[in-house]
Amino acid sequence: MALTGRLVAFLLVGLVPVVVLDVLFDLAYPALLGWLALTVVLIVVDLVFAASPRRVALERDLPARIRLGETAVSTLYVSNLGRRRMSVLVRDAWQPSAGASQTRMRLVIPGGERRAMQIALTPFRRGERRVARVALRSFGPLGFAARQAVLLSPGRLRVLPPFLSRRHLPSRLARLRELDGRTSIMIRGQGTEFDSLREYVRGDDVRSIDWRATARHSDVMVRTWRPERDRRVVIVIDTGRTSAARIGDEVRLDTAFETALLLAALATRAGDRVDLVLYDRRLRGRVHGASGPELLSRMVDAMAPVDPDLIETDWTVVPSLVRQVTTQRALVVLVTAADSPGGSSGLLAAVPQLSRDHLVVVASVTDPDLAAAVSERSTREETYRAAASERALLDVQRVSTALRQEGAEVVTAPPGDLPPAVADRYLALKAAGRL
């Protein structure tokens, strides 16, 4: 049962006759008791004639998943299974992070009919946004009291990473088309494979002449080559405590997701096979054996429910995880934090094991505020901040130098620049024939 503000107003109105009777006839207590008794009777009458909130059927209609930043419409259908007209206040109890525009709505439902309650959802966090219960408050004809019930009506909306870095994809694909089989090259070397035969033209390298094909044709035929396809790219994302740091306007893990999605979209267009591993001290997610449009779909599904764990990442297990994915030489991209010698000791120990068999790229986010703080030294506080920032930048350089000495490529950039920087490094390695 629930009481309304109309009941409070009714009680306050009753104070006027109580005061008048007290002044004229000294009947304050009998008048007060009578007014309270009348109020109780009206409450009982209101509850008796209120439709039962349990005699309803609830149905949901909402999309299975959306990207972070988009808006989805959740529709809750409330069916009145009774004969009485129902005046009901419905509260759809979505999580606060679902970003519901409103959670309460007043509905008037005749007997045997149903009404729809629509809520616009704009989530501001990734992952599973859930709703489990619906609260219904059915009012009587007087509006003094209501019958209340909480019913189960589970719903789930999966919020995927936004993939904002896809704006960099067209320009990288244009550069990729200059490298792949759409533009054949005449020079054979490491990282190339046979593409096709064509007629000899003046200026071609005579070493590219295919004499067997020439013998079968009336013209001199030469071979053309293209960068190799079907290479392996393994992306390992660190989901440990360092990925929980907020750099700029986003968490470091979100930048890692953007980097992985852009690289995967580019590599799969290049004909390479991409695998994803999310790990800290346990395997948080894996995508293996997917290609084409299915790859990005499975990647965002694996990333959506993952949040950073405040534990130290166990890098000793990462080489074995990569071996489980592939035993062939591959490009292994480690997206992690490489900004302090103490925190990167495990990474530095794992990189030599990986670089013996694979080409390793370490991608790390840098804080743009550090570079800005170095040049600001007008006050004592700014001078101390500049010294600390300089120390942090030197630590980044030390870790990067140590990683390069262990055979890894290092890419460091601010959050918005890291995804395209890693994509550019991938194209550079492909153009150099190192994949």
Side-chain angles (χ1 to χ4, degrees):
M1 184 184 73
L3 302 178
T4 66
R6 184 178 295 184
L7 176 65
V8 176
F10 182 76
L11 288 173
L12 293 177
V13 170
L15 292 178
V16 176
V18 170
V19 172
V20 171
L21 291 175
D22 181 38
V23 172
L24 298 178
F25 306 106
D26 195 20
L27 297 175
Y29 288 109
L32 180 60
L33 292 176
W35 192 258
L36 292 178
L38 176 62
T39 303
V40 171
V41 170
L42 294 178
I43 291 174
V44 172
V45 171
D46 220 18
L47 292 176
V48 169
F49 285 95
S52 173
R54 297 189 178 276
R55 298 195 63 186
V56 299
L58 302 175
E59 298 180 21
R60 286 194 181 276
D61 182 17
L62 73 161
R65 56 184 189 171
I66 62 170
R67 293 192 180 276
L68 185 65
E70 295 179 351
T71 300
V73 176
S74 169
T75 304
L76 177 68
Y77 295 100
V78 183
S79 301
N80 184 1
L81 303 180
R83 297 181 179 179
R84 295 180 182 176
R85 175 178 174 273
M86 176 182 291
S87 176
V88 61
L89 178 66
V90 183
R91 179 179 181 269
D92 204 6
W94 279 95
Q95 293 177 323
S97 56
S101 59
Q102 60 175 359
T103 58
R104 293 175 173 85
M105 183 176 292
R106 188 75 172 260
L107 300 176
V108 178
I109 312 173
E113 298 186 13
R114 79 172 184 176
R115 295 291 183 268
M117 174 184 177
Q118 290 189 334
I119 299 176
L121 302 176
T122 308
F124 52 85
R125 288 186 60 187
R126 285 184 298 101
E128 301 285 349
R129 306 277 74 84
R130 300 176 183 272
V131 60
R133 294 174 174 82
V134 175
L136 299 101
R137 186 174 289 179
S138 176
F139 296 92
L142 300 176
F144 288 169
R147 300 169 66 179
Q148 183 168 305
V150 178
L151 305 180
L152 289 176
S153 179
R156 183 182 70 174
L157 178 66
R158 172 161 286 194
V159 184
L160 307 177
F163 194 16
L164 299 176
S165 59
R166 65 178 176 270
R167 66 181 182 273
H168 301 291
L169 188 58
S171 60
R172 270 64 188 180
L173 289 177
R175 292 174 54 187
L176 179 63
R177 284 193 290 269
E178 301 174 0
L179 299 176
D180 67 6
R182 300 189 185 184
T183 53
S184 302
I185 58 179
M186 291 299 302
I187 303 174
R188 179 181 182 179
Q190 183 180 8
T192 61
E193 62 183 8
F194 174 73
D195 179 57
S196 61
L197 293 170
R198 65 171 177 81
E199 295 181 4
Y200 175 85
V201 295
R202 181 175 297 179
D204 287 342
D205 190 348
V206 295
R207 292 174 297 179
S208 298
I209 296 176
D210 190 319
W211 296 107
R212 291 186 179 181
T214 300
R216 294 192 299 268
H217 296 77
S218 58
D219 297 320
V220 179
M221 306 298 293
V222 295
R223 297 178 180 179
T224 59
W225 311 87
R226 68 180 182 185
E228 282 188 290
R229 293 170 174 257
D230 201 30
R231 311 304 292 174
R232 301 299 296 262
V233 179
V234 182
I235 305 173
V236 181
I237 297 181
D238 175 14
T239 60
R241 63 173 183 83
T242 56
S243 64
R246 179 170 290 274
I247 307 296
D249 294 331
E250 64 183 16
V251 178
R252 179 176 276 158
L253 183 62
D254 293 340
T255 304
F257 287 167
E258 292 289 326
T259 302
L261 290 172
L262 180 61
L263 178 59
L266 183 61
T268 192
R269 295 287 187 90
D272 293 337
R273 290 180 290 173
V274 181
D275 300 284
L276 174 70
V277 176
L278 306 170
Y279 182 78
D280 40 58
R281 284 188 174 272
R282 58 189 177 93
L283 189 62
R284 306 289 301 279
R286 173 185 286 177
V287 177
H288 179 65
S291 61
E294 181 190 4
L295 174 64
L296 291 183
S297 177
R298 290 180 55 182
M299 286 182 66
V300 293
D301 275 335
M303 293 172 177
V306 177
D307 289 317
D309 266 355
L310 301 182
I311 56 177
E312 192 73 27
T313 300
D314 185 7
W315 286 100
T316 60
V317 183
V318 172
S320 64
L321 289 176
V322 175
R323 283 193 297 270
Q324 293 175 14
V325 173
T326 179
T327 57
Q328 303 174 354
R329 178 175 174 80
L331 171 64
V332 178
V333 182
L334 307 177
V335 189
T336 182
D339 50 11
S340 66
S344 303
S345 57
L347 174 64
L348 290 170
V351 164
Q353 303 178 48
L354 292 170
S355 60
R356 283 198 298 264
D357 303 319
H358 307 285
L359 177 60
V360 180
V361 174
V362 178
S364 177
V365 182
T366 57
D367 191 349
D369 294 337
L370 294 178
V374 168
S375 58
E376 298 177 358
R377 305 183 182 184
S378 56
T379 64
R380 181 173 60 181
E381 181 179 353
E382 290 179 350
T383 302
Y384 280 114
R385 185 180 294 111
S389 300
E390 188 72 39
R391 177 73 267 173
L393 293 175
L394 290 175
D395 287 341
V396 173
Q397 294 179 4
R398 289 176 56 193
V399 175
S400 299
T401 302
L403 289 171
R404 293 187 180 97
Q405 291 175 350
E406 299 295 346
E409 300 272 339
V410 181
V411 180
T412 57
D417 299 333
L418 185 63
V422 173
D424 290 341
R425 183 61 59 90
Y426 167 78
L427 292 174
L429 294 174
K430 204 168 187 64
R434 297 181 60 186
L435 289 186

